[in-house]
């Protein structure tokens, strides 16, 4: 895939799209979130050879057109997952997580969207990464804390089993 061709095709949906190596990035307005966000578009050229430029442009446009109801559901799912994982552990500053979440960037793939959030009051050294599926519904989440080695779990039950073990 010609990355510059993809950048040119994304100009109607991204402001000043730029091609770099094997991806394109640019700023866009996400009305459902009421914010501008950096959108990275990764055609996964090293893993796929059948991705059409039009298909990626449609995926970006679909993400940017996410409805307020869909966006609210994503935030609800993120908050529920984080609160379940954190439980009664102390946070940096008690506040409603939903109000603390700020979208910082996105990566659009052909079949998924990866969102990066910060929550500076509750997780000042953390990044919350959320994966949406092809239908833009919550699929998976990972919290990365600076200086802490990430651990992956197959589900909430595995996480709870891990937390219940003796150190």
């Amino acid at each position: 895939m010609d990355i510059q061709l993809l950048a040119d095709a994304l100009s109607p949906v991204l402001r000043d799209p730029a091609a770099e190596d094997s991806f394109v990035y640019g700023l866009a307005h996400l009305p459902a979130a009421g914010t501008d966000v950096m959108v990275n578009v990764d055609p996964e050229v090293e893993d796929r050879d059948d991705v059409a430029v039009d298909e990626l442009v449609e995926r970006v446009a679909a993400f940017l057109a996410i409805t307020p109801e869909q966006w609210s559901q994503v935030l609800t799912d993120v908050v529920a997952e984080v609160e379940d994982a954190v439980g009664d552990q102390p946070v940096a500053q008690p506040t409603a997580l939903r109000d603390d979440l700020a979208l910082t960037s996105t990566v659009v793939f052909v079949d998924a969207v990866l969102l990066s959030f910060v929550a500076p009051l509750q997780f000042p050294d953390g990044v919350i990464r959320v994966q949406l599926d092809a239908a833009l519904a919550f699929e998976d989440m990972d919290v990365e804390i600076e200086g802490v080695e990430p651990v992956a779990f197959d589900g909430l039950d595995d996480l709870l089993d891990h937390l219940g073990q003796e150190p």
Side-chain angles (χ1 to χ4, degrees):
M1 169 180 288
D2 180 351
I3 295 301
Q4 187 56 52
L5 180 65
L6 177 59
D8 294 342
L10 284 165
S11 63
V13 291
L14 300 181
R15 288 192 296 259
D16 302 320
E20 187 171 307
D21 297 326
S22 61
F23 66 97
V24 174
Y25 63 91
L27 201 60
H29 187 67
L30 183 60
T35 190
D36 288 343
V37 65
M38 182 58 67
V39 177
N40 301 282
V41 183
D42 186 346
E44 302 174 276
V45 293
E46 59 280 342
D47 298 330
R48 301 173 180 246
D49 58 355
D50 61 341
V51 178
V53 168
D54 292 347
E55 189 176 355
L56 279 168
V57 172
E58 288 174 16
R59 293 295 303 147
V60 172
F63 168 68
L64 294 173
I66 193 169
T67 68
E69 294 79 19
Q70 287 173 297
W71 185 250
S72 180
Q73 185 60 54
V74 167
L75 294 179
T76 297
D77 293 342
V78 169
V79 168
E81 288 285 322
V82 170
E83 288 177 349
D84 282 347
V86 171
D88 293 333
Q89 296 178 34
V91 294
Q93 184 174 350
T95 186
L97 178 58
R98 189 180 191 104
D99 296 336
D100 194 25
L101 283 174
L103 181 65
T104 59
S105 68
T106 65
V107 181
V108 177
F109 301 98
V110 170
D111 53 4
V113 174
L114 183 65
L115 308 173
S116 293
F117 291 93
V118 293
L121 297 177
Q122 291 199 25
F123 302 105
D125 298 324
V127 176
I128 300 169
R129 302 207 194 282
V130 175
Q131 182 174 330
L132 305 181
D133 62 17
L136 301 173
F138 180 92
E139 185 171 12
D140 196 13
M141 185 189 77
D142 182 50
V143 178
E144 297 175 16
I145 306 294
E146 186 178 317
V148 176
E149 183 71 29
V151 178
F153 298 97
D154 291 330
L156 184 58
D157 289 336
D158 288 342
L159 171 64
L160 293 173
D161 288 345
H162 177 78
L163 292 174
Q165 294 176 356
E166 292 292 321

